[in-house]
Amino acid sequence: LEGTVPPLAAPAPRSQQRVLSQLANCSSEELLLHLRDFKAHHWDRCVAIHWHPVLNRFDDILADHGREPPQAEGSSSELVCEVLRVIHEVL
């Protein structure tokens, strides 16, 4: 399903596609920097399927943070707080 858009859904604007790709693929350190500046209310509306890879990554970060000890690098409390803030803004 990842990366597929339903036929009736409009594609996300190119600028949003680039940002979503960055959020899904950058390092944890870069992700934290991107999320600190992220403001969802500046975005045009897009279909939730466009967020699928990013939300999967956020899910992995949150799941790892709940483990004792966290297994992935970069699963800091600050990153988790930013992930939760962005999820709240987007949803």
Side-chain angles (χ1 to χ4, degrees), residues 54-68:
V54 177
L55 293 175
N56 280 344
R57 182 173 188 189
F58 287 176
D59 186 47
D60 291 343
I61 291 168
L62 295 173
D64 184 62
H65 192 71
R67 290 189 188 99
E68 285 296 328

Side-chain angles (χ1 to χ4, degrees), residues 11-61:
R14 287 183 197 256
S15 60
Q16 288 181 10
Q17 290 173 5
R18 281 193 302 272
V19 172
L20 291 172
S21 178
Q22 284 178 334
L23 294 175
N25 299 306
C26 65
S27 71
S28 294
E29 294 80 20
E30 291 174 322
L31 179 61
L32 179 58
L33 296 174
H34 288 304
L35 294 181
R36 282 181 184 153
D37 295 331
F38 186 83
K39 305 287 186 253
H41 63 272
H42 291 254
W43 279 45
D44 293 330
R45 294 182 60 96
C46 66
V47 179
I49 194 77
H50 298 127
W51 280 88
H52 190 264
V54 177
L55 293 175
N56 280 344
R57 182 173 188 189
F58 287 176
D59 186 47
D60 291 343
I61 291 168

